[in-house]
Amino acid sequence: MNSRTSPRASLMTWFANPVRLTVAMAMTAAMVVLLALPTSSAMAQDALLDDADDKPAAADDGGGALLDDSDDKPADGGGLLDDSGDDKKGGGGLLDDSGDDKKNGGGLLDDTGDPKVKTPDDSGDKPSETKDDADPHRDLFATERFPRAAACAKCHKKVYDEWRVSNHAYASISPMFHKFEQRINDLSQGTIGYFCMRCHATVGTTLKEERDLPLWKRARVSREGITCITCHRVSEAYNKVNGQRRLDEGPIDHPVKAATDGQGFLKVQKEQGKRMDVMGVHAKPVKFAQINKSEFCVSCHQVAVHPGIKLEVVWEQYRASPALKKGITCQDCHMGKVPGVAAGYSKAPVAEFEGYKSEVRDHHDHSFFGPGYPIAHPGIFPHNSKAEAWTIEEWLQFDYTAPWGTEEFEDAVYDGKIKVDFPKAWASDSDREKARKIIIENEAALEIKRRQRIEVMENGSRIDGPFFADEPEAGSSLKFHYVVTNTDEGHNLPSGSLGAQPEIWLNVALIGPDGKNLWESGYVDSNGDMADLHSLDVAARKVKHDDQLFNLQTKFLTTNVKGTEREMYLPINMDIDQLPFIRPAGQPTTVMNHPPFIRMEGRSIPPLGNRKARYVVPASLMKQKGKYKLAVRLRSRAEPIYFMRFVFATKEMEKRMNEWMIDIHPYMVEFEVK
């Protein structure tokens, strides 16, 4: 451990410093004068020596008590000796040792107990100044019209904690979405317009934010993607409308739409009305019949782009599924107690605040179980109110892959063993330590999401086999197959957004009696891509094409000027027109059942269906007698790397994408070759 001075140094050592002694004497004199004032003085907005001012005063515009050490109000400064650091304006207490203040500095003495005097080796230890390029007026205006999820967390923390790491919460932040959306607009000469943003940033679209506005310039509620009000402030029943839904505007105290008639809310209001008035909560919920039906999800999960190509086909698959016939809804599987299975709902209070818990009823999990995952910086996503002390641009400068903010690292920096040229925003070790705590908290939430992702994929699929065509013999080719089954009753495997993604493929390997890998299908190249026609390594002849690849990824096919068709990443035909526009087809798509020059080749497995993956190992590899092993696993990833490079994704994005690749149902069998 280094010699960084502990803030809990002895009192005598503290007073030994002449600067501190002078400060203490000045404070003592000030207290004597102030305590002599009458209690009716106009200065007594709060009790002068109050140390637990949790209540908002009627006219509290002058901060907390003079010696307040727990003033949580974002007012004009805390108490004189404030050590909480929660005040976000006007600085902290005179001797603030928390370092939480992000504006106008903290206390006179920093958290090491030393005067804040900058030395050549000292960056100041003062937390970086909080700034946000977003117009503060826009943010305030947006929040008034469309409340943030953070406001709902006051009473619905369980729901908020589930939502903050969900794909819905990620919709507007996703760097891959923004790269893809910009690329398809560039390729189509801007003719896609706001189309994608209507689902991914419904509030931002409603606020008329520019389509290509950087994330850090958007209103905070816009960054929340599919946030609380995206569903709970919709009062019209929409179906297939390609992402067009209108939100009901209004501040936090306006009604929300729910599956119930609000009787439970009235009971809580009767018991806790005064506290609710102080907190500021929504009015009595209005029952909205569609919100707990599958039809509510259609507007964003059944989407076709202008030519008639279907990008989202979940509803189309669901309406012909066994699940619909049984009355199983999207919510039953994606918001129930078991990821991907209609096994009922867990039980929990609807609302909890300040120790109070409302009635217990069915709890709809707002994790929205699914195969998607985030690749954003873990300081930016999951959503975390503590992370808002820094801007998105500042977070992007924080190297979370390095040990910044860990005790061992910071000790080494302090002792001069490590030299790092930190960005200005992260010059303070206190800031780095706080940021690291946020990263650890967010990564723990992401790990829960990873486990849920594996669970939902395994609950919706099964692998059986291997099944041999003949008795395995040395010197003969080995023929066998596996059966991959979609055990999900609601939609295909995979489903969701089709085309270049999502990816699910089978990886099979044969291990010989000597333990060596003799043969494999479903292997990946140096980038992590399957060795198919799109592999960059296959194109460069660095890796052999996988002729027996079992791949469930749906493909776009475009018609060439010469020859027939070819697989393409996006439904934009560059072969016929080098400057293509994406516009409606010249004739109804029903004539050809797809737009001219563009179509899709579906390879996914329908609900409760199965498909055989057939393989042949050549006789030249089956020379030895003895015990062989066949290892198998389904592999899943959201985006192929070749596609990420096509949309100009960064190397860090590629790395994060591959880190989230998962194995589904991995197992191995042993068999005898005679």
Side-chain angles (χ1 to χ4, degrees), residues 220-525:
R220 290 190 188 278
V221 66
S222 174
R223 299 175 202 169
E224 291 182 347
I226 316 303
T227 186
C228 304
I229 59 171
T230 310
C231 294
H232 292 281
R233 285 280 180 87
V234 174
S235 54
E236 296 181 61
Y238 296 94
N239 288 299
K240 294 168 67 175
V241 292
N242 269 1
Q244 287 184 303
R245 291 204 298 188
R246 286 180 289 276
L247 306 182
D248 297 338
E249 295 184 19
I252 189 68
D253 58 0
H254 278 211
V256 294
K257 307 304 184 294
T260 64
D261 58 5
Q263 293 303 310
F265 174 85
L266 293 178
K267 181 180 179 182
V268 176
Q269 192 175 50
K270 183 178 180 180
E271 297 173 354
Q272 303 290 325
K274 291 183 179 180
R275 294 166 74 185
M276 291 168 67
D277 290 342
V278 171
M279 293 171 63
V281 300
H282 58 75
K284 176 178 174 290
V286 175
K287 185 172 183 178
F288 182 46
Q290 197 190 55
I291 198 169
N292 61 351
K293 299 182 183 299
S294 297
E295 286 79 358
F296 187 72
C297 311
V298 176
S299 58
C300 283
H301 290 280
Q302 181 68 37
V303 176
V305 290
H306 305 327
I309 285 287
K310 299 169 184 176
L311 291 181
E312 290 275 353
V313 294
V314 184
W315 169 256
E316 188 173 275
Q317 295 168 356
Y318 168 77
R319 69 180 183 182
S321 72
L324 176 67
K325 295 176 181 178
K326 292 183 178 181
I328 298 173
T329 66
C330 303
Q331 292 86 338
D332 290 339
C333 293
H334 293 277
M335 300 181 74
K337 64 182 180 181
V338 179
V341 179
Y345 297 89
S346 59
K347 303 291 182 180
V350 179
E352 299 181 54
F353 56 90
E354 298 179 359
Y356 174 82
K357 295 183 179 181
S358 67
E359 65 176 332
V360 173
R361 70 178 190 196
D362 285 353
H363 174 72
H364 291 73
D365 197 310
H366 283 63
S367 302
F368 301 104
F369 309 121
Y373 54 88
I375 61 170
H377 190 295
I380 298 172
F381 187 85
H383 294 279
N384 190 319
S385 58
K386 292 190 281 292
E388 293 178 4
W390 295 275
T391 68
I392 289 178
E393 290 175 295
E394 288 171 341
W395 272 115
L396 291 174
Q397 297 172 30
F398 185 89
D399 187 358
Y400 70 94
T401 62
W404 291 11
T406 61
E407 184 176 354
E408 183 179 357
F409 174 83
E410 296 301 341
D411 285 352
V413 171
Y414 182 86
D415 292 337
K417 297 177 181 177
I418 298 177
K419 297 291 185 182
V420 180
D421 185 16
F422 295 107
K424 183 180 178 181
W426 302 107
S428 163
D429 62 344
S430 176
D431 276 8
R432 295 194 298 272
E433 289 167 348
K434 290 169 190 170
R436 178 55 63 183
K437 290 179 180 178
I438 292 170
I439 295 289
I440 291 172
E441 181 182 325
N442 280 357
E443 286 184 333
L446 290 173
E447 182 55 34
I448 294 174
K449 182 174 181 62
R450 186 191 299 273
R451 293 197 299 268
Q452 289 176 341
R453 179 173 173 239
I454 294 174
E455 191 174 353
V456 76
M457 295 299 291
E458 292 196 336
N459 286 341
S461 62
R462 188 179 72 243
I463 305 174
D464 295 304
F467 301 100
F468 298 101
D470 302 295
E471 189 74 22
E473 293 183 359
S476 299
S477 60
L478 180 68
K479 298 180 181 179
F480 64 96
H481 72 270
Y482 288 91
V483 177
V484 179
T485 301
N486 176 12
T487 60
D488 192 296
E489 295 183 295
H491 52 68
N492 288 22
L493 174 73
S495 188
S497 181
L498 301 181
Q501 33 90 33
E503 296 180 298
I504 295 183
W505 72 99
L506 203 61
N507 182 205
V508 183
L510 177 67
I511 298 95
D514 56 1
K516 294 182 180 180
N517 191 335
L518 298 177
W519 170 92
E520 186 175 1
S521 177
Y523 52 86
V524 296
D525 64 16

